[in-house]
mmCIF file of all heavy atoms in Angstrom:
data_model
loop_
_atom_site.group_PDB
_atom_site.id
_atom_site.type_symbol
_atom_site.label_atom_id
_atom_site.label_comp_id
_atom_site.label_asym_id
_atom_site.label_seq_id
_atom_site.Cartn_x
_atom_site.Cartn_y
_atom_site.Cartn_z
ATOM 1 N N MET A 4 52.326 -83.998 58.109
ATOM 2 C CA MET A 4 53.211 -84.058 59.257
ATOM 3 C C MET A 4 52.750 -85.138 60.227
ATOM 4 O O MET A 4 53.566 -85.841 60.791
ATOM 5 C CB MET A 4 53.241 -82.678 59.927
ATOM 6 C CG MET A 4 54.210 -82.590 61.043
ATOM 7 S SD MET A 4 55.885 -82.678 60.387
ATOM 8 C CE MET A 4 56.797 -82.315 61.822
ATOM 9 N N ASN A 5 51.440 -85.241 60.430
ATOM 10 C CA ASN A 5 50.909 -86.259 61.333
ATOM 11 C C ASN A 5 51.230 -87.665 60.839
ATOM 12 O O ASN A 5 51.457 -88.573 61.633
ATOM 13 C CB ASN A 5 49.399 -86.101 61.508
ATOM 14 C CG ASN A 5 49.060 -84.900 62.360
ATOM 15 O OD1 ASN A 5 49.867 -84.456 63.172
ATOM 16 N ND2 ASN A 5 47.865 -84.361 62.169
ATOM 17 N N HIS A 6 51.223 -87.834 59.525
ATOM 18 C CA HIS A 6 51.542 -89.150 58.942
ATOM 19 C C HIS A 6 52.978 -89.539 59.273
ATOM 20 O O HIS A 6 53.251 -90.698 59.594
ATOM 21 C CB HIS A 6 51.322 -89.115 57.429
ATOM 22 C CG HIS A 6 51.616 -90.420 56.759
ATOM 23 N ND1 HIS A 6 50.847 -91.539 56.993
ATOM 24 C CD2 HIS A 6 52.577 -90.789 55.906
ATOM 25 C CE1 HIS A 6 51.330 -92.542 56.288
ATOM 26 N NE2 HIS A 6 52.392 -92.105 55.616
ATOM 27 N N LEU A 7 53.899 -88.585 59.234
ATOM 28 C CA LEU A 7 55.306 -88.841 59.546
ATOM 29 C C LEU A 7 55.471 -89.222 61.013
ATOM 30 O O LEU A 7 56.196 -90.167 61.339
ATOM 31 C CB LEU A 7 56.154 -87.609 59.217
ATOM 32 C CG LEU A 7 57.650 -87.744 59.450
ATOM 33 C CD1 LEU A 7 58.226 -88.853 58.595
ATOM 34 C CD2 LEU A 7 58.354 -86.433 59.170
ATOM 35 N N ILE A 8 54.792 -88.552 61.904
ATOM 36 C CA ILE A 8 54.867 -88.864 63.341
ATOM 37 C C ILE A 8 54.295 -90.258 63.599
ATOM 38 O O ILE A 8 54.865 -91.037 64.363
ATOM 39 C CB ILE A 8 54.136 -87.787 64.168
ATOM 40 C CG1 ILE A 8 54.885 -86.456 64.057
ATOM 41 C CG2 ILE A 8 54.004 -88.211 65.613
ATOM 42 C CD1 ILE A 8 54.160 -85.281 64.653
ATOM 43 N N THR A 9 53.193 -90.578 62.955
ATOM 44 C CA THR A 9 52.595 -91.907 63.101
ATOM 45 C C THR A 9 53.552 -92.978 62.599
ATOM 46 O O THR A 9 53.706 -94.032 63.218
ATOM 47 C CB THR A 9 51.269 -91.977 62.324
ATOM 48 O OG1 THR A 9 50.403 -90.944 62.780
ATOM 49 C CG2 THR A 9 50.610 -93.325 62.526
ATOM 50 N N LEU A 10 54.213 -92.731 61.498
ATOM 51 C CA LEU A 10 55.162 -93.686 60.926
ATOM 52 C C LEU A 10 56.356 -93.901 61.841
ATOM 53 O O LEU A 10 56.822 -95.024 62.020
ATOM 54 C CB LEU A 10 55.632 -93.186 59.557
ATOM 55 C CG LEU A 10 56.510 -94.137 58.741
ATOM 56 C CD1 LEU A 10 55.741 -95.411 58.427
ATOM 57 C CD2 LEU A 10 56.955 -93.457 57.463
ATOM 58 N N ILE A 11 56.830 -92.849 62.469
ATOM 59 C CA ILE A 11 57.972 -92.955 63.381
ATOM 60 C C ILE A 11 57.591 -93.745 64.634
ATOM 61 O O ILE A 11 58.389 -94.532 65.144
ATOM 62 C CB ILE A 11 58.504 -91.552 63.745
ATOM 63 C CG1 ILE A 11 59.148 -90.913 62.515
ATOM 64 C CG2 ILE A 11 59.494 -91.625 64.890
ATOM 65 C CD1 ILE A 11 59.531 -89.460 62.714
ATOM 66 N N ARG A 12 56.390 -93.585 65.125
ATOM 67 C CA ARG A 12 55.947 -94.265 66.349
ATOM 68 C C ARG A 12 55.550 -95.722 66.108
ATOM 69 O O ARG A 12 55.433 -96.492 67.052
ATOM 70 C CB ARG A 12 54.783 -93.514 66.974
ATOM 71 C CG ARG A 12 55.196 -92.188 67.548
ATOM 72 C CD ARG A 12 54.049 -91.510 68.223
ATOM 73 N NE ARG A 12 54.468 -90.210 68.744
ATOM 74 C CZ ARG A 12 53.652 -89.284 69.166
ATOM 75 N NH1 ARG A 12 52.345 -89.476 69.128
ATOM 76 N NH2 ARG A 12 54.117 -88.137 69.620
ATOM 77 N N ASP A 13 55.327 -96.105 64.865
ATOM 78 C CA ASP A 13 54.919 -97.468 64.535
ATOM 79 C C ASP A 13 56.072 -98.425 64.805
ATOM 80 O O ASP A 13 57.180 -98.241 64.312
ATOM 81 C CB ASP A 13 54.499 -97.545 63.064
ATOM 82 C CG ASP A 13 53.942 -98.895 62.693
ATOM 83 O OD1 ASP A 13 53.571 -99.660 63.612
ATOM 84 O OD2 ASP A 13 53.875 -99.196 61.490
ATOM 85 N N GLU A 14 55.823 -99.471 65.600
ATOM 86 C CA GLU A 14 56.877 -100.412 65.983
ATOM 87 C C GLU A 14 56.697 -101.797 65.385
ATOM 88 O O GLU A 14 57.442 -102.717 65.715
ATOM 89 C CB GLU A 14 56.947 -100.516 67.506
ATOM 90 C CG GLU A 14 57.380 -99.228 68.164
ATOM 91 C CD GLU A 14 57.536 -99.370 69.667
ATOM 92 O OE1 GLU A 14 57.394 -100.497 70.173
ATOM 93 O OE2 GLU A 14 57.795 -98.353 70.313
ATOM 94 N N GLU A 15 55.735 -101.999 64.506
ATOM 95 C CA GLU A 15 55.510 -103.318 63.921
ATOM 96 C C GLU A 15 56.692 -103.759 63.062
ATOM 97 O O GLU A 15 57.114 -104.898 63.121
ATOM 98 C CB GLU A 15 54.235 -103.310 63.088
ATOM 99 C CG GLU A 15 52.978 -103.215 63.931
ATOM 100 C CD GLU A 15 51.723 -103.210 63.088
ATOM 101 O OE1 GLU A 15 51.805 -103.634 61.924
ATOM 102 O OE2 GLU A 15 50.679 -102.803 63.601
ATOM 103 N N GLY A 16 57.235 -102.874 62.279
ATOM 104 C CA GLY A 16 58.372 -103.203 61.429
ATOM 105 C C GLY A 16 59.622 -103.490 62.242
ATOM 106 O O GLY A 16 60.444 -104.326 61.868
ATOM 107 N N THR A 17 59.751 -102.831 63.374
ATOM 108 C CA THR A 17 60.914 -103.038 64.236
ATOM 109 C C THR A 17 60.964 -104.471 64.739
ATOM 110 O O THR A 17 62.011 -105.102 64.737
ATOM 111 C CB THR A 17 60.871 -102.061 65.424
ATOM 112 O OG1 THR A 17 60.778 -100.728 64.928
ATOM 113 C CG2 THR A 17 62.102 -102.196 66.276
ATOM 114 N N THR A 18 59.847 -105.007 65.151
ATOM 115 C CA THR A 18 59.797 -106.378 65.652
ATOM 116 C C THR A 18 60.164 -107.358 64.552
ATOM 117 O O THR A 18 60.913 -108.307 64.790
ATOM 118 C CB THR A 18 58.389 -106.689 66.200
ATOM 119 O OG1 THR A 18 58.070 -105.728 67.204
ATOM 120 C CG2 THR A 18 58.336 -108.070 66.797
ATOM 121 N N ALA A 19 59.677 -107.149 63.358
ATOM 122 C CA ALA A 19 59.988 -108.036 62.245
ATOM 123 C C ALA A 19 61.482 -107.999 61.935
ATOM 124 O O ALA A 19 62.093 -109.040 61.669
ATOM 125 C CB ALA A 19 59.178 -107.643 61.014
ATOM 126 N N ILE A 20 62.078 -106.835 61.985
ATOM 127 C CA ILE A 20 63.516 -106.711 61.730
ATOM 128 C C ILE A 20 64.306 -107.427 62.820
ATOM 129 O O ILE A 20 65.290 -108.113 62.534
ATOM 130 C CB ILE A 20 63.915 -105.231 61.630
ATOM 131 C CG1 ILE A 20 63.335 -104.611 60.367
ATOM 132 C CG2 ILE A 20 65.426 -105.073 61.653
ATOM 133 C CD1 ILE A 20 63.483 -103.110 60.279
ATOM 134 N N GLU A 21 63.877 -107.306 64.064
ATOM 135 C CA GLU A 21 64.566 -107.994 65.162
ATOM 136 C C GLU A 21 64.505 -109.511 64.979
ATOM 137 O O GLU A 21 65.504 -110.203 65.163
ATOM 138 C CB GLU A 21 63.949 -107.605 66.507
ATOM 139 C CG GLU A 21 64.246 -106.178 66.899
ATOM 140 C CD GLU A 21 63.443 -105.710 68.097
ATOM 141 O OE1 GLU A 21 62.544 -106.471 68.553
ATOM 142 O OE2 GLU A 21 63.709 -104.608 68.584
ATOM 143 N N TYR A 22 63.348 -110.028 64.607
ATOM 144 C CA TYR A 22 63.223 -111.465 64.370
ATOM 145 C C TYR A 22 64.095 -111.903 63.192
ATOM 146 O O TYR A 22 64.702 -112.973 63.226
ATOM 147 C CB TYR A 22 61.769 -111.856 64.110
ATOM 148 C CG TYR A 22 60.924 -111.888 65.356
ATOM 149 C CD1 TYR A 22 59.649 -111.338 65.371
ATOM 150 C CD2 TYR A 22 61.392 -112.471 66.527
ATOM 151 C CE1 TYR A 22 58.873 -111.374 66.517
ATOM 152 C CE2 TYR A 22 60.623 -112.505 67.681
ATOM 153 C CZ TYR A 22 59.363 -111.956 67.668
ATOM 154 O OH TYR A 22 58.603 -111.985 68.797
ATOM 155 N N ALA A 23 64.163 -111.092 62.170
ATOM 156 C CA ALA A 23 65.005 -111.427 61.019
ATOM 157 C C ALA A 23 66.482 -111.456 61.407
ATOM 158 O O ALA A 23 67.235 -112.338 60.972
ATOM 159 C CB ALA A 23 64.771 -110.430 59.888
ATOM 160 N N LEU A 24 66.906 -110.515 62.224
ATOM 161 C CA LEU A 24 68.298 -110.502 62.684
ATOM 162 C C LEU A 24 68.611 -111.721 63.543
ATOM 163 O O LEU A 24 69.676 -112.337 63.406
ATOM 164 C CB LEU A 24 68.584 -109.220 63.465
ATOM 165 C CG LEU A 24 68.675 -107.943 62.639
ATOM 166 C CD1 LEU A 24 68.775 -106.734 63.553
ATOM 167 C CD2 LEU A 24 69.854 -107.998 61.693
ATOM 168 N N ILE A 25 67.700 -112.086 64.425
ATOM 169 C CA ILE A 25 67.902 -113.268 65.259
ATOM 170 C C ILE A 25 67.977 -114.518 64.388
ATOM 171 O O ILE A 25 68.847 -115.376 64.583
ATOM 172 C CB ILE A 25 66.781 -113.393 66.315
ATOM 173 C CG1 ILE A 25 66.921 -112.271 67.346
ATOM 174 C CG2 ILE A 25 66.814 -114.755 66.992
ATOM 175 C CD1 ILE A 25 65.731 -112.143 68.280
ATOM 176 N N ALA A 26 67.086 -114.643 63.436
ATOM 177 C CA ALA A 26 67.100 -115.805 62.535
ATOM 178 C C ALA A 26 68.402 -115.857 61.745
ATOM 179 O O ALA A 26 68.970 -116.932 61.536
ATOM 180 C CB ALA A 26 65.900 -115.754 61.590
ATOM 181 N N GLY A 27 68.885 -114.715 61.309
ATOM 182 C CA GLY A 27 70.151 -114.669 60.583
ATOM 183 C C GLY A 27 71.325 -115.109 61.444
ATOM 184 O O GLY A 27 72.191 -115.867 60.996
ATOM 185 N N LEU A 28 71.356 -114.655 62.689
ATOM 186 C CA LEU A 28 72.430 -115.061 63.601
ATOM 187 C C LEU A 28 72.373 -116.550 63.909
ATOM 188 O O LEU A 28 73.410 -117.215 63.975
ATOM 189 C CB LEU A 28 72.360 -114.243 64.890
ATOM 190 C CG LEU A 28 72.732 -112.769 64.752
ATOM 191 C CD1 LEU A 28 72.486 -112.035 66.067
ATOM 192 C CD2 LEU A 28 74.173 -112.620 64.331
ATOM 193 N N VAL A 29 71.175 -117.083 64.072
ATOM 194 C CA VAL A 29 71.035 -118.523 64.310
ATOM 195 C C VAL A 29 71.508 -119.303 63.093
ATOM 196 O O VAL A 29 72.199 -120.325 63.224
ATOM 197 C CB VAL A 29 69.571 -118.874 64.669
ATOM 198 C CG1 VAL A 29 69.340 -120.374 64.645
ATOM 199 C CG2 VAL A 29 69.215 -118.313 66.028
ATOM 200 N N ALA A 30 71.187 -118.836 61.908
ATOM 201 C CA ALA A 30 71.627 -119.510 60.683
ATOM 202 C C ALA A 30 73.150 -119.492 60.572
ATOM 203 O O ALA A 30 73.765 -120.509 60.229
ATOM 204 C CB ALA A 30 70.990 -118.850 59.462
ATOM 205 N N ILE A 31 73.764 -118.369 60.871
ATOM 206 C CA ILE A 31 75.227 -118.273 60.798
ATOM 207 C C ILE A 31 75.867 -119.204 61.815
ATOM 208 O O ILE A 31 76.825 -119.925 61.504
ATOM 209 C CB ILE A 31 75.685 -116.818 61.008
ATOM 210 C CG1 ILE A 31 75.290 -115.971 59.799
ATOM 211 C CG2 ILE A 31 77.183 -116.739 61.241
ATOM 212 C CD1 ILE A 31 75.481 -114.484 59.998
ATOM 213 N N ALA A 32 75.349 -119.239 63.032
ATOM 214 C CA ALA A 32 75.891 -120.126 64.067
ATOM 215 C C ALA A 32 75.748 -121.589 63.662
ATOM 216 O O ALA A 32 76.661 -122.396 63.881
ATOM 217 C CB ALA A 32 75.190 -119.869 65.396
ATOM 218 N N THR A 33 74.623 -121.938 63.062
ATOM 219 C CA THR A 33 74.401 -123.309 62.610
ATOM 220 C C THR A 33 75.378 -123.690 61.506
ATOM 221 O O THR A 33 75.956 -124.784 61.526
ATOM 222 C CB THR A 33 72.954 -123.472 62.106
ATOM 223 O OG1 THR A 33 72.055 -123.125 63.165
ATOM 224 C CG2 THR A 33 72.683 -124.888 61.662
ATOM 225 N N ILE A 34 75.597 -122.804 60.562
ATOM 226 C CA ILE A 34 76.533 -123.082 59.469
ATOM 227 C C ILE A 34 77.940 -123.269 60.003
ATOM 228 O O ILE A 34 78.654 -124.198 59.601
ATOM 229 C CB ILE A 34 76.472 -121.955 58.414
ATOM 230 C CG1 ILE A 34 75.138 -122.010 57.680
ATOM 231 C CG2 ILE A 34 77.634 -122.047 57.442
ATOM 232 C CD1 ILE A 34 74.854 -120.802 56.818
ATOM 233 N N VAL A 35 78.360 -122.417 60.924
ATOM 234 C CA VAL A 35 79.699 -122.531 61.502
ATOM 235 C C VAL A 35 79.842 -123.854 62.252
ATOM 236 O O VAL A 35 80.846 -124.562 62.109
ATOM 237 C CB VAL A 35 79.991 -121.330 62.425
ATOM 238 C CG1 VAL A 35 81.249 -121.549 63.239
ATOM 239 C CG2 VAL A 35 80.126 -120.054 61.595
ATOM 240 N N ALA A 36 78.847 -124.215 63.043
ATOM 241 C CA ALA A 36 78.905 -125.455 63.817
ATOM 242 C C ALA A 36 78.936 -126.678 62.905
ATOM 243 O O ALA A 36 79.716 -127.607 63.129
ATOM 244 C CB ALA A 36 77.714 -125.530 64.765
ATOM 245 N N LEU A 37 78.107 -126.686 61.879
ATOM 246 C CA LEU A 37 78.079 -127.828 60.968
ATOM 247 C C LEU A 37 79.355 -127.934 60.148
ATOM 248 O O LEU A 37 79.806 -129.037 59.844
ATOM 249 C CB LEU A 37 76.854 -127.752 60.048
ATOM 250 C CG LEU A 37 75.516 -127.982 60.740
ATOM 251 C CD1 LEU A 37 74.363 -127.795 59.752
ATOM 252 C CD2 LEU A 37 75.461 -129.366 61.367
ATOM 253 N N THR A 38 79.950 -126.812 59.803
ATOM 254 C CA THR A 38 81.223 -126.834 59.083
ATOM 255 C C THR A 38 82.317 -127.441 59.957
ATOM 256 O O THR A 38 83.089 -128.288 59.507
ATOM 257 C CB THR A 38 81.623 -125.411 58.651
ATOM 258 O OG1 THR A 38 80.597 -124.889 57.806
ATOM 259 C CG2 THR A 38 82.942 -125.411 57.903
ATOM 260 N N ALA A 39 82.368 -127.040 61.208
ATOM 261 C CA ALA A 39 83.367 -127.593 62.131
ATOM 262 C C ALA A 39 83.120 -129.078 62.355
ATOM 263 O O ALA A 39 84.064 -129.879 62.370
ATOM 264 C CB ALA A 39 83.322 -126.844 63.456
ATOM 265 N N LEU A 40 81.868 -129.468 62.499
ATOM 266 C CA LEU A 40 81.534 -130.873 62.686
ATOM 267 C C LEU A 40 81.901 -131.681 61.443
ATOM 268 O O LEU A 40 82.435 -132.789 61.556
ATOM 269 C CB LEU A 40 80.042 -131.028 62.989
ATOM 270 C CG LEU A 40 79.531 -132.454 63.188
ATOM 271 C CD1 LEU A 40 80.177 -133.067 64.430
ATOM 272 C CD2 LEU A 40 78.018 -132.459 63.325
ATOM 273 N N GLY A 41 81.637 -131.141 60.273
ATOM 274 C CA GLY A 41 81.979 -131.827 59.028
ATOM 275 C C GLY A 41 83.475 -132.041 58.894
ATOM 276 O O GLY A 41 83.926 -133.102 58.471
ATOM 277 N N THR A 42 84.252 -131.048 59.269
ATOM 278 C CA THR A 42 85.710 -131.162 59.213
ATOM 279 C C THR A 42 86.193 -132.240 60.181
ATOM 280 O O THR A 42 87.040 -133.069 59.833
ATOM 281 C CB THR A 42 86.368 -129.816 59.556
ATOM 282 O OG1 THR A 42 85.887 -128.830 58.639
ATOM 283 C CG2 THR A 42 87.872 -129.893 59.467
ATOM 284 N N ALA A 43 85.647 -132.267 61.382
ATOM 285 C CA ALA A 43 86.033 -133.271 62.375
ATOM 286 C C ALA A 43 85.641 -134.676 61.914
ATOM 287 O O ALA A 43 86.425 -135.628 62.068
ATOM 288 C CB ALA A 43 85.399 -132.950 63.725
ATOM 289 N N LEU A 44 84.453 -134.828 61.344
ATOM 290 C CA LEU A 44 84.025 -136.135 60.857
ATOM 291 C C LEU A 44 84.880 -136.602 59.689
ATOM 292 O O LEU A 44 85.211 -137.789 59.589
ATOM 293 C CB LEU A 44 82.547 -136.087 60.442
ATOM 294 C CG LEU A 44 81.536 -136.112 61.567
ATOM 295 C CD1 LEU A 44 80.126 -135.956 61.019
ATOM 296 C CD2 LEU A 44 81.641 -137.406 62.354
ATOM 297 N N SER A 45 85.234 -135.693 58.820
ATOM 298 C CA SER A 45 86.086 -136.044 57.691
ATOM 299 C C SER A 45 87.435 -136.559 58.175
ATOM 300 O O SER A 45 87.942 -137.572 57.676
ATOM 301 C CB SER A 45 86.281 -134.823 56.786
ATOM 302 O OG SER A 45 87.163 -135.135 55.732
ATOM 303 N N ALA A 46 88.011 -135.898 59.148
ATOM 304 C CA ALA A 46 89.295 -136.343 59.701
ATOM 305 C C ALA A 46 89.153 -137.699 60.368
ATOM 306 O O ALA A 46 90.021 -138.572 60.225
ATOM 307 C CB ALA A 46 89.822 -135.313 60.689
ATOM 308 N N ALA A 47 88.072 -137.918 61.085
ATOM 309 C CA ALA A 47 87.858 -139.201 61.760
ATOM 310 C C ALA A 47 87.722 -140.330 60.747
ATOM 311 O O ALA A 47 88.328 -141.401 60.906
ATOM 312 C CB ALA A 47 86.616 -139.126 62.642
ATOM 313 N N TYR A 48 86.944 -140.109 59.690
ATOM 314 C CA TYR A 48 86.776 -141.150 58.674
ATOM 315 C C TYR A 48 88.070 -141.404 57.905
ATOM 316 O O TYR A 48 88.355 -142.537 57.522
ATOM 317 C CB TYR A 48 85.643 -140.804 57.713
ATOM 318 C CG TYR A 48 84.274 -141.059 58.297
ATOM 319 C CD1 TYR A 48 83.319 -140.057 58.351
ATOM 320 C CD2 TYR A 48 83.934 -142.302 58.806
ATOM 321 C CE1 TYR A 48 82.058 -140.289 58.895
ATOM 322 C CE2 TYR A 48 82.685 -142.555 59.343
ATOM 323 C CZ TYR A 48 81.752 -141.540 59.383
ATOM 324 O OH TYR A 48 80.526 -141.782 59.919
ATOM 325 N N THR A 49 88.858 -140.385 57.697
ATOM 326 C CA THR A 49 90.152 -140.568 57.051
ATOM 327 C C THR A 49 91.059 -141.439 57.918
ATOM 328 O O THR A 49 91.723 -142.356 57.420
ATOM 329 C CB THR A 49 90.821 -139.201 56.779
ATOM 330 O OG1 THR A 49 89.967 -138.442 55.916
ATOM 331 C CG2 THR A 49 92.190 -139.371 56.137
ATOM 332 N N ASN A 50 91.080 -141.178 59.209
ATOM 333 C CA ASN A 50 91.878 -141.988 60.136
ATOM 334 C C ASN A 50 91.399 -143.438 60.169
ATOM 335 O O ASN A 50 92.211 -144.370 60.175
ATOM 336 C CB ASN A 50 91.860 -141.396 61.545
ATOM 337 C CG ASN A 50 92.635 -140.105 61.634
ATOM 338 O OD1 ASN A 50 93.528 -139.845 60.825
ATOM 339 N ND2 ASN A 50 92.295 -139.287 62.610
ATOM 340 N N ILE A 51 90.100 -143.646 60.171
ATOM 341 C CA ILE A 51 89.540 -145.003 60.170
ATOM 342 C C ILE A 51 89.936 -145.724 58.885
ATOM 343 O O ILE A 51 90.358 -146.884 58.912
ATOM 344 C CB ILE A 51 88.008 -144.970 60.345
ATOM 345 C CG1 ILE A 51 87.653 -144.499 61.752
ATOM 346 C CG2 ILE A 51 87.397 -146.337 60.058
ATOM 347 C CD1 ILE A 51 86.180 -144.183 61.954
ATOM 348 N N GLY A 52 89.810 -145.028 57.759
ATOM 349 C CA GLY A 52 90.186 -145.626 56.480
ATOM 350 C C GLY A 52 91.655 -146.004 56.436
ATOM 351 O O GLY A 52 92.026 -147.071 55.924
ATOM 352 N N THR A 53 92.507 -145.158 56.981
ATOM 353 C CA THR A 53 93.939 -145.442 57.009
ATOM 354 C C THR A 53 94.235 -146.658 57.881
ATOM 355 O O THR A 53 95.025 -147.534 57.493
ATOM 356 C CB THR A 53 94.706 -144.209 57.549
ATOM 357 O OG1 THR A 53 94.430 -143.090 56.710
ATOM 358 C CG2 THR A 53 96.208 -144.474 57.582
ATOM 359 N N GLU A 54 93.595 -146.727 59.027
ATOM 360 C CA GLU A 54 93.795 -147.874 59.926
ATOM 361 C C GLU A 54 93.321 -149.170 59.290
ATOM 362 O O GLU A 54 93.982 -150.214 59.411
ATOM 363 C CB GLU A 54 93.087 -147.643 61.265
ATOM 364 C CG GLU A 54 93.692 -146.535 62.093
ATOM 365 C CD GLU A 54 95.109 -146.840 62.531
ATOM 366 O OE1 GLU A 54 95.418 -148.017 62.824
ATOM 367 O OE2 GLU A 54 95.919 -145.891 62.584
ATOM 368 N N VAL A 55 92.192 -149.139 58.630
ATOM 369 C CA VAL A 55 91.664 -150.337 57.968
ATOM 370 C C VAL A 55 92.603 -150.764 56.846
ATOM 371 O O VAL A 55 92.897 -151.956 56.696
ATOM 372 C CB VAL A 55 90.239 -150.100 57.442
ATOM 373 C CG1 VAL A 55 89.780 -151.225 56.531
ATOM 374 C CG2 VAL A 55 89.266 -149.924 58.599
ATOM 375 N N THR A 56 93.089 -149.802 56.062
ATOM 376 C CA THR A 56 94.023 -150.116 54.977
ATOM 377 C C THR A 56 95.311 -150.708 55.524
ATOM 378 O O THR A 56 95.825 -151.700 55.000
ATOM 379 C CB THR A 56 94.332 -148.849 54.155
ATOM 380 O OG1 THR A 56 93.111 -148.315 53.641
ATOM 381 C CG2 THR A 56 95.284 -149.145 53.021
ATOM 382 N N ASN A 57 95.839 -150.124 56.581
ATOM 383 C CA ASN A 57 97.069 -150.632 57.186
ATOM 384 C C ASN A 57 96.872 -152.017 57.796
ATOM 385 O O ASN A 57 97.770 -152.858 57.747
ATOM 386 C CB ASN A 57 97.589 -149.673 58.249
ATOM 387 C CG ASN A 57 98.110 -148.388 57.652
ATOM 388 O OD1 ASN A 57 98.421 -148.312 56.460
ATOM 389 N ND2 ASN A 57 98.189 -147.350 58.465
ATOM 390 N N ALA A 58 95.705 -152.292 58.351
ATOM 391 C CA ALA A 58 95.431 -153.597 58.958
ATOM 392 C C ALA A 58 95.262 -154.659 57.887
ATOM 393 O O ALA A 58 95.608 -155.826 58.105
ATOM 394 C CB ALA A 58 94.194 -153.514 59.829
ATOM 395 N N ALA A 59 94.738 -154.283 56.721
ATOM 396 C CA ALA A 59 94.490 -155.254 55.648
ATOM 397 C C ALA A 59 95.758 -155.552 54.858
ATOM 398 O O ALA A 59 95.845 -156.576 54.182
ATOM 399 C CB ALA A 59 93.398 -154.742 54.714
ATOM 400 N N THR A 60 96.748 -154.697 54.921
ATOM 401 C CA THR A 60 97.992 -154.889 54.171
ATOM 402 C C THR A 60 98.917 -155.816 54.969
ATOM 403 O O THR A 60 99.233 -155.538 56.115
ATOM 404 C CB THR A 60 98.695 -153.531 53.937
ATOM 405 O OG1 THR A 60 97.786 -152.640 53.317
ATOM 406 C CG2 THR A 60 99.933 -153.709 53.078
ATOM 407 N N PRO A 61 99.340 -156.950 54.336
ATOM 408 C CA PRO A 61 100.210 -157.880 55.067
ATOM 409 C C PRO A 61 101.624 -157.379 55.266
ATOM 410 O O PRO A 61 102.209 -156.602 54.700
ATOM 411 C CB PRO A 61 100.207 -159.136 54.193
ATOM 412 C CG PRO A 61 99.592 -158.783 52.906
ATOM 413 C CD PRO A 61 98.972 -157.441 53.051
#
């Protein structure tokens, strides 16, 4: 019984889980931001390519 009470009061695992959750949220936010940035850059390069093609065509 004492072992169970000691295990319940132990907070070392709790801190590790909190850090893992924070790292996971940061990773998700980074992926979302980079995906949005990639989409915006792709559109910008497509527009640049179209303008260059139109300018080169007589």
Side-chain angles (χ1 to χ4, degrees):
M4 185 69 172
N5 287 335
H6 180 66
L7 182 61
I8 293 171
T9 304
L10 187 62
I11 291 172
R12 291 183 181 167
D13 185 17
E14 294 184 5
E15 289 180 19
T17 304
T18 304
I20 291 171
E21 290 170 353
Y22 284 136
L24 288 172
I25 291 169
L28 290 174
V29 168
I31 290 170
T33 302
I34 291 169
V35 169
L37 290 176
T38 300
L40 179 65
T42 302
L44 283 176
S45 177
Y48 282 125
T49 300
N50 290 336
I51 291 169
T53 301
E54 292 296 324
V55 169
T56 302
N57 291 341
T60 306

